[in-house]
Amino acid sequence: MSINEISANKSFEGWHKQFTHSSSVLNCEMRFAVYLPPQMEQGKKVPVLYWLSGLTCTDENFMQKAGAHRMAAELGMMIVAPDTSPRGDDVADDDGYDLGKGAGFYVNATQEPWSKHYQMYDYVTRELPQIIEGNFSVSDKKAIAGHSMGGHGALMIALRNPEMFVSASAFSPIVNPMNCPWGQKAFTAYLGDDKDEWQQYDSCYLLQQAEQKTPMLISQGQADQFLVEQLKTEALEAIAHEKSAPVTIERHDGYDHSYYFIASFIEQHLKFHAEYLS
């Protein structure tokens, strides 16, 4: 699968680069960003952390704001940050910030007009890893992380693919989208009214059913304006406790939903993944 490099910036002796490619899964041109640690220039195959961003974001937010490059360089970890949704003039959209472009929710849409392009689950779990593994010197070890809507995506994808991702982490994740306004709006539009279809994308449901236990780290700010209505951290915590699942939930007083929170604890998350990627 051919990719086109559109930007390159040296960072901590490694490289931040952006690429575009034609996606056969999403039926549009997609962009993604990578951080290539300096070990890759020494011929080493490195493990990969996939990062999924939240509502209204692109591939750029995390790479520019999170401050992850220094620790990724130290640990010898490649970071891959896809866009949050398909884009293009013929891609369906909505006037709301929480549906359509920038709000793909990492699901495979089954409803019109979304189903032609909004196949983000397949993109993250199939097409993008194939591109990364076909174009970069990487090992077979993968982990996944994300923020908010991307935290939902990371936990959900890890729970559905325990053989693919060795660990998962999230900042301020939407853990129970079936029971929050953001998730209900997106799932109704993308998946229809059948809530049995929704369950396959709900981390609380998936953790309740999980047989293989993927280690997870969740960081939640206690001053997060979306905590009570949208994020529902306590719902996942109760299931993790009931199932004795290896889920660590850390609460941080004073922190909100922003990238200031992510930047404050991203190095902890990278070190967490490094334990399982080594």
Side-chain angles (χ1 to χ4, degrees):
M1 298 181 185
S2 62
I3 58 176
N4 304 306
E5 183 178 313
I6 59 172
S7 74
N9 303 93
K10 195 163 188 178
S11 178
F12 294 96
E13 300 305 316
W15 289 91
H16 167 263
K17 296 186 176 184
Q18 287 178 302
F19 296 88
T20 60
H21 71 100
S22 177
S23 170
S24 59
V25 169
L26 303 178
N27 296 301
C28 65
E29 183 173 271
M30 287 294 286
R31 188 178 74 191
F32 65 90
V34 299
Y35 178 70
L36 308 175
Q39 292 84 349
M40 297 182 80
E41 293 190 342
Q42 302 163 10
K44 294 182 179 179
K45 289 191 174 184
V46 301
V48 182
L49 175 67
Y50 288 84
W51 173 271
L52 306 182
S53 289
L55 287 167
T56 75
C57 290
T58 68
D59 65 285
E60 294 184 331
N61 299 73
F62 176 79
M63 290 298 197
Q64 294 180 7
K65 296 180 178 180
H69 292 178
R70 187 191 71 80
M71 185 54 64
E74 181 178 319
L75 295 171
M77 181 187 299
M78 180 179 179
I79 301 176
V80 178
D83 203 347
T84 53
S85 69
R87 299 185 195 265
D89 293 341
D90 64 337
V91 174
D93 200 10
D94 185 84
D95 290 336
Y97 76 95
D98 52 357
L99 190 67
K101 297 176 187 178
F105 264 83
Y106 305 101
V107 304
N108 284 343
T110 59
Q111 305 298 303
E112 297 296 338
W114 312 102
S115 57
K116 180 181 178 181
H117 298 287
Y118 285 75
Q119 302 293 313
M120 287 298 295
Y121 176 84
D122 279 353
Y123 180 70
V124 172
T125 60
R126 291 199 297 109
E127 188 173 37
L128 186 58
Q130 289 173 5
I131 290 171
I132 298 304
E133 290 159 14
N135 287 277
F136 300 95
S137 179
V138 296
S139 73
D140 60 354
K141 297 279 188 164
K142 294 185 282 291
I144 192 164
H147 170 233
S148 193
M149 177 186 72
H152 138 74
L155 299 180
M156 173 269 293
I157 286 171
L159 286 164
R160 288 183 60 172
N161 299 274
E163 75 292 340
M164 184 175 184
F165 297 100
V166 298
S167 55
S169 74
F171 290 87
S172 314
I174 304 169
V175 300
N176 193 197
M178 291 181 64
N179 292 309
C180 78
W182 278 339
Q184 290 167 346
K185 179 178 179 178
F187 285 4
T188 300
Y190 297 144
L191 305 172
D193 295 325
D194 184 357
K195 294 189 176 181
D196 287 342
E197 291 294 314
W198 298 12
Q199 290 178 342
Q200 64 183 313
Y201 300 110
D202 188 285
S203 293
C204 283
Y205 176 81
L206 292 169
L207 184 61
Q208 186 72 57
Q209 307 302 314
E211 295 182 2
Q212 189 167 334
K213 297 179 178 180
T214 301
M216 295 181 172
L217 171 64
I218 296 172
S219 294
Q220 177 59 59
Q222 291 301 88
D224 192 316
Q225 62 269 41
F226 304 113
L227 177 57
V228 176
E229 183 181 32
Q230 303 282 11
L231 305 183
K232 311 287 186 182
T233 310
E234 70 285 348
L236 189 77
E237 185 174 41
I239 296 168
H241 180 74
E242 174 192 339
K243 300 277 289 184
S244 298
V247 179
T248 300
I249 298 176
E250 296 186 348
R251 292 176 168 83
H252 300 279
D253 289 339
Y255 288 92
D256 58 18
H257 200 72
S258 71
Y259 268 85
Y260 297 109
F261 177 40
I262 298 173
S264 297
F265 297 98
I266 188 60
E267 294 195 354
Q268 177 197 9
H269 279 240
L270 295 186
K271 290 176 181 177
F272 165 78
H273 290 294
E275 292 183 26
Y276 302 97
L277 289 169
S278 61

